[in-house]
Amino acid sequence: MMEGMLLLSDAAAGSVRALAGLFLMSQQHRSQQKDAYQDTWNHKKAAAALAGAVLLEVLISVMGFPESYRVGLEVLWLACCASRFGFLEIRMGFFVSIFYAAAVSLWQFLFAAWLGVLFHSAAWLEAKTERGQIALWIFHVLLSAVVLYFFMYRERAAKNAFRFASVVGVAGFMAVITLSEQTVLKIADDTLGMWTILAVILMMSLLVFRLRRQYETERELAKLKSEQAELLERDYTALNNAYALNAKLFHDFHNHIGVLQQLLSHRKVDEAVQYLNALQAPMQEMTDTVWTGDETIDYLINSKAAAAKEGGIQMLVQVEFPRHTNIRSADLCAILGNLLDNALEASRQVPVTKQREIRLTIRRIHQMLVIKVENPLAALPNEKEGVLQTAKAQNGLHGWGLKSAQTAAEKYDGMVQTSYADEVFRAVATLSYKGVKVD
């Protein structure tokens, strides 16, 4: 009877560990997303994870696998589930799963050991004793409380996930060192040495994980800067061309006046009208400029409007732009350029028999700048668990385009959100700005 209860207890505790691990991994993944408002955990995943964990733990308990086998199988299952649910790619899933399993094992030992020190009894370290089971379940209740905190305060917890893991790792190391200095409970030196080494490995793993995240961030920023440089180069080229056209027109102005004077003096009105129409074409392109007060942004919008016109797409622009702010032109180019490029690409796929129209709206609301781009779609977007998916080969909604825009928006405590309704795709970027004094 007692053996059956121990098997049931071990299976239940393992299920709690596995489910808690998957949830914490989902929150760690969520903290790295550019769209931090996208959730990655739902009831279906929780149910599937719980069912799988129960089956695995029952199998481990019935087969009587050693503790090392139990930990290894739990790590394998966590990594596979994290990859299958889209929390982490398989290699990072194994890395985080090993870290989680090691941290749980360390703290489970520390909790039981310190209870033994408190009550002057080594029975707390024996999992098959009554006190050992009490220690086991007090620890798992506390683990469940941590998960509940992360669940109730997801936004705050997601932002502080790495800080929390760091505190757990450092506190574990300090607890092992302190435990080795106490004299109340005798613990074998080999056991303490093993847990000390594990605590050091956990702290080193945190450092490696931090360095890897920093490397990925720097690589993404480098790609963003490369895209911004390419965008600025293209738009500055358009700016130079426009200035060259302007200079040419004014340079030839007196010549044009002379030709028109000759045509009209000889009463050749039709020829004069045709000559004026020929002059008006390049002039019209210059007068279509949408002025924001920022030359780079003006010519960016203008170039996109020209590209839309060439593709038979109407582009409607409404701009209310604040003057003299701390928002850099390069960041605005990254946001506007990528959103408009996505809109142009999607609009070109819409049949010419349907209305192809892009709407760009820029508004300021108090100290908030709102940029909205709307465009039609040729077909309904794919949707996975409430999140719009791209039809491109890259991962993410629009691949690197929206990631670049999101990265730029985050510099100003902003974000980029997307939605789809009534056959219209909407991308809205919001940025907080501050006024800048100009001498």
Side-chain angles (χ1 to χ4, degrees), residues 88-155:
L88 298 168
E89 54 94 15
I90 189 67
R91 288 179 299 177
M92 182 54 63
F94 270 112
F95 180 86
V96 176
S97 298
I98 292 172
F99 174 86
Y100 170 76
V104 167
S105 298
L106 173 63
W107 276 98
Q108 187 173 325
F109 163 76
L110 289 173
F111 196 80
W114 279 108
L115 283 176
V117 172
L118 181 62
F119 292 102
H120 298 73
S121 174
W124 294 94
L125 288 168
E126 298 293 332
K128 296 186 181 297
T129 65
E130 181 179 352
R131 292 184 180 182
Q133 286 295 304
I134 292 175
L136 174 71
W137 277 104
I138 292 177
F139 170 77
H140 282 80
V141 167
L142 291 176
L143 179 61
S144 300
V146 171
V147 172
L148 182 61
Y149 169 80
F150 272 76
F151 181 78
M152 293 178 63
Y153 303 98
R154 298 191 191 191
E155 297 297 336

Side-chain angles (χ1 to χ4, degrees), residues 227 231 234 300 304 307 313 315 333-350 357-359 373-378 390-392 394-406 416-418 425-428:
E227 289 183 349
L231 180 64
R234 184 173 68 244
L300 171 63
K304 302 305 179 186
I313 303 168
M315 184 167 167
C333 282
I335 297 171
L336 267 176
N338 284 300
L339 295 186
L340 289 174
D341 282 342
N342 287 337
L344 283 169
E345 181 177 348
S347 299
R348 291 190 186 104
Q349 298 174 6
V350 175
E357 181 179 272
I358 296 175
R359 292 180 177 269
V373 178
E374 300 174 290
N375 61 271
L377 290 181
T390 182
K392 297 180 181 180
Q394 299 97 327
N395 293 328
L397 185 57
H398 280 288
W400 280 100
L402 281 185
K403 289 183 179 180
S404 298
Q406 179 68 32
V416 177
Q417 293 179 302
T418 58
F425 181 84
R426 294 177 181 84
V428 180

Side-chain angles (χ1 to χ4, degrees), residues 160-333:
N160 298 318
F162 182 78
R163 185 180 303 173
F164 175 79
S166 301
V167 170
V168 170
V170 174
F173 176 75
M174 297 301 297
V176 172
I177 298 301
T178 307
L179 186 64
S180 65
E181 298 297 326
Q182 58 83 32
T183 57
V184 176
L185 184 67
K186 184 173 179 56
I187 302 176
D189 292 339
D190 291 344
T191 301
L192 285 174
M194 179 190 69
W195 290 115
T196 302
I197 293 173
L198 181 60
V200 172
I201 291 175
L202 285 176
M203 290 195 298
M204 293 299 295
S205 299
L206 282 168
L207 178 61
V208 171
F209 182 74
R210 180 64 175 178
L211 290 175
R212 184 180 185 276
R213 285 190 62 179
Q214 184 176 354
Y215 167 73
E216 290 179 346
T217 301
E218 291 177 353
R219 185 177 63 177
E220 186 170 337
L221 287 175
K223 186 172 181 63
L224 170 61
K225 290 179 179 178
S226 176
E227 289 183 349
Q228 289 178 341
E230 181 182 349
L231 180 64
L232 287 173
E233 181 180 359
R234 184 173 68 244
D235 292 319
Y236 275 125
T237 299
L239 172 64
N240 290 332
N241 291 339
Y243 280 147
L245 176 61
N246 185 25
K248 182 178 181 298
L249 287 174
F250 280 100
H251 179 269
D252 296 338
F253 184 72
H254 67 282
N255 295 326
H256 297 314
I257 292 295
V259 172
L260 287 172
Q261 184 178 12
Q262 288 294 321
L263 290 174
L264 291 175
S265 65
H266 290 85
R267 300 182 183 278
K268 296 181 179 180
V269 178
D270 292 338
E271 288 85 345
V273 171
Q274 292 177 4
Y275 193 86
L276 283 172
N277 288 337
L279 291 177
Q280 188 181 16
M283 290 291 292
Q284 184 63 41
E285 292 182 5
M286 295 182 62
T287 58
D288 285 341
T289 302
V290 179
W291 297 107
T292 65
D294 187 303
E295 291 180 348
T296 305
I297 304 304
D298 290 337
Y299 281 96
L300 171 63
I301 297 175
N302 231 15
S303 64
K304 302 305 179 186
K309 186 176 180 180
E310 290 178 4
I313 303 168
Q314 185 180 9
M315 184 167 167
L316 304 178
V317 182
Q318 293 182 339
V319 175
E320 181 185 338
F321 197 79
R323 298 293 185 93
H324 309 308
T325 71
N326 64 324
I327 302 177
R328 296 173 61 245
S329 297
D331 295 326
L332 276 174
C333 282

